[in-house]
Structures are given as C-alpha cells and as structure tokens.
Amino acid sequence: MKRLSIKMKVTIWYTGLIILMLGFVFTFIWLFAGQAVTYQAEKQVKKAVIESMEDISFQDRHFKRDDDFEFYEDGVSILIYNGNGTLLEGSLPSGFNDEEAVFAHDRIRTIVSKQTEWMVYDYQLNHDGQNVWMRGVMAIDPFAKTMNIIFLIVLVSIPILVLLAGFGGYWITKKAFKPIEEMNRAVNEIKDGKDLSKRIRLSGAKDEIHGLAETFNGMFERLEASFEIEKQFTADASHELRTPTSVIISHAEYALTQLDKPAEVKEALQTILRQSTKMSELINQLLQLARANQENVSITYETFDISELAEIVAEEMREIGEESDISIETDIEPNLKAEADQTLMMRLLMNLMMNGIAYNQENGFVKIKLYEENNQIIGEVSDNGIGIEKKEQEKIWERFYRVDSARTSTRNGNTGLGLSMAKWIVDMHHGTITVNSQLGKGSLFQFRIPKRRNE
Ligand code: ADP
C-alpha cells in the first residue's frame, strides 16, 4: 500500500478533528437549545396563567374578570373552565382539542393534538366550594421551527466548515512543504548529475526550512571544496610521479643502448638514482599524508622533554647545514615538558629547519627558539634566507605548492608537502602555525601548541 503523504495525513487528521469538534459542539447546542426552548415555553405558559389569575376575583360564589383580563397573552391562550370541565370563557386555539387534555393541577406538560405539539398548564382555583380551572395553552410549533432552523444551519454549516478545514489545511501544508519538495528536487539533481556546484535555491519567506536549506548548502560547499582538493591532490600526485618515472624509463632505455660505454651508463644510472630517491621521498610523504587524511588517525600523546627533542633535531640539522655552510643557532628553554606526539613533533621541527636550510643563502643561519608562554609551547624557526613573497605566504601550506620551482630545483626531494605536513601536525595538536617573511631577508615560522592535551 502506498504510504500517505504527510500533507494527506495532516489534512485527514485536522479534518477529522474538526468533524469531531463540530459534532460535539452541535450536539451540545442541540441538546441544550432544545431544553432551553422547552424551558422558555414552560415559563411563558405558566407566567401567562398566573398573571391572568391575578385579574380574577370571586364575588357571591361567582368569579369575576377584571377589565384588563386578556384571553390571549404573549402567545398563550387563556381558557377558563368550571369544575366539570366545561369551557366557560375563552376560545380554543384552532387545532387544539381540549378533550384530549385531562385537567391536572399545577402541572406543565406537552400534549400532541392534531399533529401539533401544545404546551398546557392548568391551575385550579377554589372558592367556597366552587371550582374553576384556569388553563394556558400554547402551540410549541414556533419553537419547533426555531429548532428546525438550528438543525438546518448545522446541517449546512458542518459540511462547509469541514470542507473549509480540509482544503485550508491541505493548502497550508502544501505550501509549507513546497520548500521541502524544492529541496528534494535540488538534492536529487545534485545526486543524479553528480554536480556538487549546484545549490538549493528556495523561494518564499525565510523560515526554518530555509535554515535547513542553508545548512545543506553549507555542507555541499564543504563537500565540493574537499572533493576539489582531493581531485587536485590526485592530479598533482600523479603528475609529480609521472615526471621522475618517465626520466627513469628514458634513461634506462638509453643506458641499455650504451652498454659498451661505461661512462654513459654511469651517468644514466646516477640520474636514475637521483630520480628514484626523489620518487621514494615523494612516496613516503604521500603515504604519510594519506594516513594523515584518514578521519580517525590516532596521534599518540605522551609527556616528554620537548627541549631535548629540539636539541637533538638541531644537532642533526647542524650536520646537514654544514654541507652548505649554514650555521644552526639554538635558543631553547631547557626542560620544557609537552604532552604531544613525539614523532610528529620531531617531523614538524625537522620540516621547518630543513626548509630554513634549503631556502637559504651562503653563510646563512637557521635559528630555533623554544619557550613556554601561557601554558603553550612556542617554537620559532627563523632564517636569513631567500624569504617568501607576501602573496605566496598563504599558499605555501597547500599540498604540492612550491613557490618557484626554479629556485628549488637544485634540491632533491622538494615535494611541496613539507609545510602542509607541518600544518597538519600543528592542527592535530589543536595549535596554530604562522609565517612572517620578507623576500630576500628571511623567514620566521612560529607554531604554538597547548602544553597539555585538551588545554
Ligand atoms: P618543499 O618540499 O618545496 O620545501 P614545503 O611545503 O616545505 O615544500 O614548502 C613550500 C614552499 O614554501 C617551498 O617551495 C618554498 O618555496 C617555500 N618555503 C618554505 N620554507 C621556506 C623558508 N624558510 N624560506 C623561504 N621559502 C620557504
């Protein structure tokens, strides 16, 4: 069975509720209006009889009517009978047969005579053994008519109200759900066309559903951005790998044709070795980044002496620096304890210092400073090297981004991944990393990480 739409469910529910409520209200009115009308009629007949009685007096065993006695008062016919039930005064309303109405003292009742309902009230007067009956009669026809009118109103208004409630409810819910339908269509379009650049555009007033659409749009934006980055990454990675691969293949092929010339072969092998080393470095970094990109990558927190670690890294760098006459300076506050991932911290320091050495000039220096401030470990790696242009400073954190491949082409293994790795490490430790650099003067990289986890 096809499931009912929410629109239909809401409409059915409200229409049902309206029917039920109207049913209750009208039954209530019907019952109480009927009673009220009967009560009103009873009061009217009784009042007419009692008021007429005041206009009667007895003289010498005869009753006497005052001058203002009226036989028809307020819709009620007043009849006077003697003790035997013979009509003495007053005229029977047409259609009322008094033989059908047996006398009953002070009792109001309804009598049906010739298909008309009559309200009858009798009162017996006694004077010196003489009996006189006063009777008030009123057709309750007009009341029945009123009731019929009410009934008619109910009969006509219920369906109209129910239809109104049904259509109104359906219309309002349809309008309310329109943005959801639009949203559904938009999301389906995005899904079917696999086009993440599409967005949900809603018309009409701003309401909660617009808020939801905006949230979705925000999500699509982020998805699109991360897909873009992913696409770019794959394209860049394959491009980066293709170049050394084709160099290796062409040199290997060339070497095979030159087997009788050891010098040529040697040169080819050296090129192959260089390219393979570069590729190996690239693959290593790619693997690390791929692992880093996994959502639930776990970092191993431990408390260690980060000052000692920085000293060790600096020592190692000193050897590398020596090759290109670059001196390493340290300004490391001793015994700084940090709760962090030791391996990643080492990688961070190494990446920054290696860059300091690589992008330096002859007789330059690289300085590492480490201190503590406000429960944060602050590390600064500065150099007086070639510096980075302002407009490039934002991009250097991107994967594979190299400022100018010409100025780094002499170096092996510059993959453009070092700083993106550094940034990832700092992010993982809920820290920040910034660069301050001037072209031709040097650079200062500063990172801050909380001293303890969750701080
Ligand atoms: P790479 O493998 O090319 O060093 P990185 O991500 O480490 O990749 O750095 C990105 C770019 O930022 C480099 O190509 C380089 O031009 C620039 N850069 C990084 N560190 C420095 C520095 N200390 N001085 C000048 N330029 C730097």
Side-chain angles (χ1 to χ4, degrees):
M1 199 180 90
K2 198 173 166 279
R3 282 186 60 206
L4 282 176
S5 69
I6 298 178
K7 268 183 305 208
M8 269 329 270
K9 277 188 201 158
V10 172
T11 310
I12 290 173
W13 165 252
Y14 276 104
T15 317
L17 206 67
I18 287 281
I19 293 177
L20 209 71
M21 265 162 51
L22 286 177
F24 271 129
V25 168
F26 283 123
T27 318
F28 191 77
I29 290 176
W30 178 254
L31 286 177
F32 283 88
Q35 272 190 14
V37 164
T38 316
Y39 177 70
Q40 190 59 36
E42 284 176 4
K43 243 175 72 180
Q44 207 169 319
V45 177
K46 262 184 165 178
K47 188 172 155 236
V49 171
I50 285 161
E51 273 176 8
S52 304
M53 265 172 5
E54 285 165 8
D55 295 334
I56 277 186
S57 52
F58 282 90
Q59 276 177 3
D60 308 332
R61 298 169 63 88
H62 285 286
F63 77 90
K64 190 174 168 292
R65 281 187 283 113
D66 289 355
D67 293 342
D68 55 356
F69 186 94
E70 284 188 48
F71 285 102
Y72 191 76
E73 198 179 311
D74 209 5
V76 184
S77 303
I78 303 291
L79 307 166
I80 303 173
Y81 292 87
N82 67 11
N84 304 326
T86 313
L87 182 63
L88 299 178
E89 299 215 37
S91 55
L92 288 174
S94 72
F96 179 71
N97 183 1
D98 61 354
E99 278 161 24
E100 288 173 31
V102 184
F103 284 98
H105 174 64
D106 197 16
R107 244 193 69 213
I108 185 98
R109 60 219 187 268
T110 316
I111 282 164
V112 181
S113 168
K114 293 194 183 142
Q115 278 156 11
T116 312
E117 271 193 278
W118 301 89
M119 184 75 65
V120 179
Y121 179 68
D122 298 327
Y123 204 94
Q124 192 177 31
L125 296 170
N126 256 317
H127 191 79
D128 280 350
Q130 198 182 4
N131 270 344
V132 172
W133 287 95
M134 295 279 296
R135 168 170 278 183
V137 180
M138 183 172 71
I140 43 178
D141 213 28
F143 292 107
K145 264 191 200 134
T146 316
M147 289 307 290
N148 283 343
I149 288 171
I150 292 179
F151 191 64
L152 206 72
I153 291 173
V154 169
L155 224 61
V156 175
S157 62
I158 282 193
I160 291 179
L161 283 175
V162 167
L163 282 180
L164 214 69
F167 279 115
Y170 187 78
W171 185 72
I172 289 173
T173 36
K174 196 176 154 154
K175 253 187 88 145
F177 279 104
K178 205 167 160 251
I180 293 193
E181 275 164 17
E182 279 178 45
M183 209 146 92
N184 200 9
R185 204 176 33 245
V187 173
N188 271 327
E189 263 176 37
I190 294 169
K191 188 189 80 188
D192 294 341
K194 298 185 178 55
D195 182 1
L196 274 175
S197 64
K198 277 209 163 78
R199 295 288 175 268
I200 306 167
R201 305 255 171 261
L202 295 187
S203 48
K206 292 258 171 291
D207 52 18
E208 297 87 336
I209 295 171
H210 280 77
L212 183 65
E214 261 157 40
T215 313
F216 266 122
N217 281 344
M219 189 182 79
F220 287 137
E221 216 132 275
R222 277 197 299 281
L223 275 180
E224 192 191 4
S226 65
F227 272 122
E228 261 329 295
I229 291 172
E230 236 28 65
K231 233 162 61 186
Q232 189 63 36
F233 179 69
T234 319
D236 288 346
S238 44
H239 174 80
E240 294 295 326
L241 288 168
R242 202 175 301 129
T243 320
T245 317
S246 50
V247 172
I248 290 171
I249 293 172
S250 65
H251 277 79
E253 281 170 353
Y254 176 73
L256 282 174
T257 61
Q258 306 291 322
L259 286 176
D260 49 340
K261 295 181 194 146
E264 296 280 326
V265 174
K266 189 180 171 197
E267 202 182 309
L269 281 176
Q270 275 166 345
T271 312
I272 289 172
L273 181 64
R274 237 190 350 262
Q275 294 297 332
S276 314
T277 318
K278 189 174 173 180
M279 239 170 97
S280 157
E281 173 69 12
L282 182 65
I283 289 168
N284 267 342
Q285 299 225 30
L286 278 178
L287 276 178
Q288 286 211 18
L289 266 182
R291 224 170 285 143
N293 278 341
Q294 278 168 8
E295 287 284 295
N296 51 358
V297 62
S298 64
I299 74 171
T300 322
Y301 277 101
E302 54 188 320
T303 305
F304 62 94
D305 191 329
I306 193 166
S307 309
E308 210 176 276
L309 183 84
E311 292 287 1
I312 295 170
V313 173
E315 206 47 52
E316 212 163 299
M317 289 301 136
R318 199 157 275 141
E319 278 171 33
I320 300 174
E322 261 168 23
E323 290 170 18
S324 25
D325 283 331
I326 304 227
S327 61
I328 305 293
E329 296 171 17
T330 54
D331 176 7
I332 298 169
E333 206 178 293
N335 303 322
L336 289 178
K337 299 276 183 292
E339 194 184 1
D341 186 312
Q342 202 166 346
T343 321
L344 291 182
M345 281 333 271
M346 181 147 114
R347 178 102 223 166
L348 168 69
L349 294 173
M350 278 175 67
N351 280 8
L352 295 178
M353 291 193 77
M354 290 280 270
N355 278 349
I357 296 172
Y359 304 106
N360 220 313
Q361 30 218 358
E362 238 171 271
N363 299 320
F365 71 83
V366 176
K367 182 174 171 186
I368 174 165
K369 188 175 173 189
L370 199 73
Y371 57 102
E372 186 188 330
E373 195 181 86
N374 299 332
N375 274 328
Q376 282 187 321
I377 300 287
I378 299 160
E380 288 174 3
V381 177
S382 53
D383 62 66
N384 59 345
I386 58 174
I388 309 160
E389 244 186 299
K390 195 111 211 117
K391 64 174 172 40
E392 306 281 357
Q393 287 177 12
E394 263 176 44
K395 301 184 201 151
I396 52 172
W397 311 105
E398 289 170 17
R399 288 183 295 199
F400 296 114
Y401 190 80
R402 275 162 292 186
V403 172
D404 173 9
S405 44
R407 66 180 195 165
T408 60
S409 60
T410 50
R411 249 181 89 227
N412 270 347
N414 60 312
T415 57
L417 294 173
L419 285 180
S420 69
M421 186 75 179
K423 172 131 181 52
W424 175 79
I425 294 171
V426 173
D427 284 347
M428 284 307 281
H429 286 83
H430 308 288
T432 52
I433 183 162
T434 52
V435 62
N436 194 340
S437 179
Q438 239 184 326
L439 198 62
K441 294 235 166 98
S443 316
L444 173 106
F445 285 84
Q446 188 197 62
F447 67 86
R448 292 166 171 264
I449 57 153
K451 205 167 144 46
R452 271 176 292 275
R453 185 170 20 167
N454 307 329
E455 238 174 48

